[in-house]
Amino acid sequence: MFQTTILNEVKNIGIGLHKGSAINITLSPLDANSGVVFYRSDLNKYYKANYENVINTQMATVIGDKDGFISTIEHLMSALHAYGIDNILISIDANEVPVFDGSSLAFCDMLERAQITKLSARKQVYVLKKEVKVEENAKFALLSATNEPSYDFTINFNHKLIAKQDYKFTFNKVNFIKEIASARTFGFLKDVQALKSKGLALGGSLENAIVLNDDKILNPEGLRFENEFVRHKILDAIGDLYMLGKPVFANYKAYASSHDLNHKLTLKMLENPSSYELVTLDSNSKELLKALS
């Protein structure tokens, strides 16, 4: 299996979740072994999307340095992970990726329009050999060895419309598009109001998030899935794990995990070289190739 990029440059415009202003985004092809690279056109700064450049994980996955940052990259990273994109340039003219409808659908549409093309270099993947786990009180996230990568997530919110939800799905592009890509981010009205009072979430609306008050879902169209909340948590986790810089061939399992815990999981995996193997895919990697196709 060879590395990939996109065939055509594609563009879109969307609203930023926090600042509420229009943001231009362009996806462009990149050469082999370049990775996923973000470009802040307003700053003329490049940031590689990997664990080393993560500077904040409180409300989103944020990359950057002392000169600037790019926030809310996880929904785009999730789509790139699922589509198997190894190399791509993402140009934006603001400090956050457009939120669009709060899911990965717009990014999937851009990738479909761009089309995927193979490069001459072989693809590399992390293959888990031993379990890696991080815990914080009752919360945890873990990676384990597998022959068929999957994501298994449980959430438990003190809200009658969410409560305890769990979902497991086999990770591949087809299943991602069908089961995960359209699951939207969500928040509580009181929290949104508090954030807006601090100059954050200014672009947040019923157009780009599921919003709940104490009694009901405020979006007139309702949910896309009965368990859309936990599906979106899986969407986030897929994007967060792609901050490893390469796909990870593993089972992911979590209870009440977050961007922060997912980031700590990637760091712990890399701190334990005996827990994984970096495999270059070739004609001898038949089982891996089958699971990744």
Side-chain angles (χ1 to χ4, degrees):
M1 181 178 283
F2 293 93
Q3 292 183 31
T4 64
T5 187
I6 55 173
L7 185 62
N8 307 300
E9 183 173 277
V10 292
K11 300 183 179 184
N12 207 340
I13 302 175
I15 297 297
L17 178 62
H18 288 299
K19 296 304 179 184
S21 55
I23 298 169
N24 293 283
I25 180 169
T26 302
L27 307 184
S28 306
L30 269 188
D31 294 335
N33 301 312
S34 298
V36 177
V37 180
F38 283 84
Y39 174 58
R40 280 280 304 269
S41 59
D42 55 326
L43 299 180
N44 193 27
K45 287 277 295 184
Y46 292 88
Y47 297 102
K48 198 160 186 177
N50 64 32
Y51 61 94
E52 294 178 308
N53 289 327
V54 174
I55 59 171
N56 194 309
T57 53
Q58 294 309 301
M59 296 178 61
T61 297
V62 184
I63 56 174
D65 57 20
K66 61 181 179 61
D67 299 318
F69 65 90
I70 301 173
S71 178
T72 324
I73 68 172
E74 59 272 10
H75 301 168
L76 173 53
M77 292 298 294
S78 190
L80 296 176
H81 195 173
Y83 274 70
I85 304 295
D86 301 289
N87 310 284
I88 194 168
L89 177 66
I90 301 132
S91 303
I92 58 172
D93 56 0
N95 62 12
E96 57 182 323
V97 173
V99 67
F100 294 113
D101 73 343
S103 76
S104 289
L105 277 182
F107 304 116
C108 292
D109 176 68
M110 291 182 75
L111 293 173
E112 294 286 349
R113 289 191 286 120
Q115 302 179 63
I116 301 170
T117 186
K118 293 179 182 179
L119 299 168
S120 59
R122 293 280 182 180
K123 184 189 286 282
Q124 289 187 311
V125 300
Y126 289 109
V127 177
L128 253 288
K129 297 168 65 179
K130 296 193 302 187
E131 182 180 288
V132 178
K133 186 177 184 179
V134 290
E135 298 177 89
E136 289 182 359
N137 301 316
K139 300 177 182 180
F140 74 83
L142 68 84
L143 294 172
S144 59
T146 185
N147 291 321
E148 189 175 49
S150 65
Y151 283 75
D152 185 354
F153 208 118
T154 302
I155 58 174
N156 195 356
F157 280 81
N158 185 25
H159 192 288
K160 63 183 181 180
L161 297 180
I162 304 179
K164 187 174 183 179
Q165 295 184 2
D166 55 76
Y167 194 71
K168 180 177 181 179
F169 95 113
T170 301
F171 179 63
N172 58 49
K173 176 184 170 183
V174 172
N175 289 349
F176 177 82
I177 293 169
K178 182 172 65 175
E179 303 177 38
I180 302 298
S182 62
R184 295 163 293 175
T185 192
F186 60 93
F188 303 98
L189 183 61
K190 58 184 178 181
D191 295 332
V192 173
Q193 292 169 334
L195 286 169
K196 288 191 174 184
S197 71
K198 297 176 182 177
L200 298 171
L202 298 179
S205 73
L206 300 181
E207 300 296 320
N208 52 44
I210 305 167
V211 182
L212 306 93
N213 63 17
D214 292 338
D215 302 308
K216 64 180 181 179
I217 294 167
L218 301 182
N219 306 65
E221 75 279 8
L223 297 176
R224 294 174 176 174
F225 307 97
E226 183 180 0
N227 56 359
E228 188 170 356
F229 306 101
V230 70
R231 291 188 193 222
H232 184 80
K233 288 294 187 178
I234 291 176
L235 185 156
D236 282 345
I238 293 168
D240 289 341
L241 287 192
Y242 208 31
M243 299 306 291
L244 283 163
K246 294 177 174 63
V248 57
F249 191 87
N251 281 336
Y252 169 93
K253 185 177 177 64
Y255 177 81
S257 191
S258 61
H259 296 301
D260 187 59
L261 208 57
N262 292 336
H263 177 56
K264 289 174 179 174
L265 180 64
T266 62
L267 296 181
K268 187 167 183 179
M269 188 197 93
L270 295 170
E271 287 169 2
N272 296 272
S274 64
S275 67
Y276 67 88
E277 181 181 1
L278 185 58
V279 175
T280 300
L281 299 178
D282 56 28
S283 58
N284 296 319
S285 312
K286 292 181 180 178
E287 289 303 315
L288 288 174
L289 290 169
K290 181 179 178 182
L292 289 168
S293 60

